[in-house]
Amino acid sequence: MTVTRVLVVTAVAAERDAVVAGVAGDGAAAGDGGAEIVALPAGGYALHRVRTAAPPAPERAGVVLDVLAAGVGPAAAAAGTATALTAGICAGAGYDLVISAGIGGGFAPGPDADGPGAAVGSTVVADAIVAADLGAETPDGFLPVTELGFGTVVHTPPPALVRALAAATGAACGPVLTASTVTGSAEHAARLAARHPRALVEAMEGFGVAEAAAAQGLPVLEIRTVSNPVGPRDRAAWRIGEALGALSAACAALPRVLAAAGAPTSWRTP
């Protein structure tokens, strides 16, 4: 029988605990939430491991999710993700899927938008993971690094998994932007929305997680729940507790979605 192994990467412990609580269900609580704590051999990282029940298919032996709080921002996310992935390979227990999960800011719908945007408390599954500020400023505006002849600025999650997880959670699907510096003004929010008219969420880690996953040839998902609008920083309007609760609820669907999603080799994007 095959165990599906998933690495879930968050920025901070509160997000990690929300993911563990959702996946583990009623047995989870604050702190370790009933998860097994596994120290990694480098970097001072620790995985919170949750083993889920086996699905009815005889060839499958359940899903193991390792949840890692890797730090804030794309560089910390990439470093933590790469460390965990390498440790898994060295232990003979490599991963099948990597997920970036956490809270973020939601974009309001533009004047020509067909969709509702991403309201506070809502859930979004990324159909594109976009590096929003990787590039160069020019007299004519921002140029992504790809237009300078380097690298990539978009990773595409497996479409079938995105659709299945969105259907199971009631989430919207759309691009999630990764920024090293989050938006703090209406003007910058408008510039981002103009460059990325389908974007639903701004966060800080997804592209770093995706880069580390891509280096290992692994598929990646990003799940975000919305704690605040993208724009001027108004801490009184943030709803972090509500967003963390929504993150738990969304992650509760992960085991059954992954168990029903077929062989992990089918998740890889060509």
Side-chain angles (χ1 to χ4, degrees):
M1 292 190 295
T2 301
V3 174
T4 300
R5 298 181 58 82
V6 180
L7 176 65
V8 184
V9 183
T10 71
V12 298
E15 293 168 326
R16 177 201 64 206
D17 293 344
V19 172
V20 169
V23 173
D26 293 338
D32 65 16
E36 175 188 358
I37 310 301
V38 181
L40 294 181
Y45 301 108
L47 304 174
H48 286 225
R49 179 167 293 164
V50 181
R51 302 177 188 273
T52 68
E59 71 278 7
R60 305 290 288 278
V63 179
V64 173
L65 292 102
D66 287 342
V67 190
L68 170 68
V72 174
T81 302
T83 299
L85 293 177
T86 302
I89 291 170
C90 292
Y95 292 97
D96 300 297
L97 175 69
V98 183
I99 301 174
S100 176
I103 65 177
F107 282 94
D112 300 321
D114 294 328
V120 171
S122 66
T123 301
V124 171
V125 179
D127 63 12
I129 301 171
V130 182
D133 56 4
L134 182 59
E137 292 288 349
T138 77
D140 298 320
F142 178 81
L143 283 180
V145 72
T146 48
E147 294 189 25
L148 303 174
F150 305 105
T152 186
V153 292
V154 180
H155 289 283
T156 303
L161 272 186
V162 169
R163 290 191 297 268
L165 185 57
T169 59
C173 297
V176 173
L177 307 186
T178 299
S180 294
T181 302
V182 295
T183 297
S185 69
E187 293 77 13
H188 188 63
R191 286 194 295 270
L192 276 181
R195 291 206 304 263
H196 307 281
R198 293 184 57 247
L200 293 181
V201 171
E202 176 190 69
M204 298 184 74
E205 293 79 33
F207 190 81
V209 172
E211 283 281 274
Q216 302 277 7
L218 294 174
V220 64
L221 295 175
E222 184 168 8
I223 304 167
R224 292 285 168 179
T225 53
V226 178
S227 59
N228 57 276
V230 175
R233 291 175 62 81
D234 178 8
R235 294 181 69 92
W238 293 359
R239 299 292 182 265
I240 292 176
E242 182 180 346
L244 291 172
L247 184 62
S248 289
C251 289
L254 279 172
R256 67 176 182 271
V257 169
L258 296 178
T265 52
S266 69
W267 304 342
R268 299 175 187 250
T269 302

Coordinates of all heavy atoms in Angstrom, one line a residue, residues 6 112 135 144 267:
V6 N 2.7 14.6 2.3 CA 2.4 16.0 1.9 C 3.2 16.9 2.9 O 3.1 16.7 4.1 CB 0.9 16.3 1.9 CG1 0.7 17.8 1.5 CG2 0.2 15.4 1.0
D112 N -14.0 46.4 -13.6 CA -14.4 45.6 -14.7 C -14.3 44.1 -14.4 O -14.4 43.2 -15.3 CB -13.4 45.8 -15.9 CG -13.5 47.3 -16.4 OD1 -14.6 47.8 -16.4 OD2 -12.4 47.8 -16.7
G135 N 11.6 41.6 -10.1 CA 11.8 42.3 -11.4 C 12.6 43.6 -11.2 O 13.4 43.7 -10.3
P144 N 8.7 42.4 -15.0 CA 9.0 41.2 -14.3 C 10.3 40.6 -14.7 O 10.8 40.9 -15.8 CB 7.8 40.2 -14.7 CG 7.3 40.8 -16.0 CD 7.5 42.3 -15.9
W267 N -0.5 14.2 -10.4 CA -0.6 15.6 -10.0 C 0.5 16.5 -10.6 O 0.3 17.7 -10.6 CB -0.5 15.7 -8.5 CG -1.5 14.9 -7.7 CD1 -2.6 14.3 -8.2 CD2 -1.4 14.5 -6.3 NE1 -3.3 13.6 -7.2 CE2 -2.6 13.7 -6.1 CE3 -0.5 14.8 -5.3 CZ2 -2.8 13.2 -4.8 CZ3 -0.8 14.3 -4.1 CH2 -1.9 13.5 -3.8

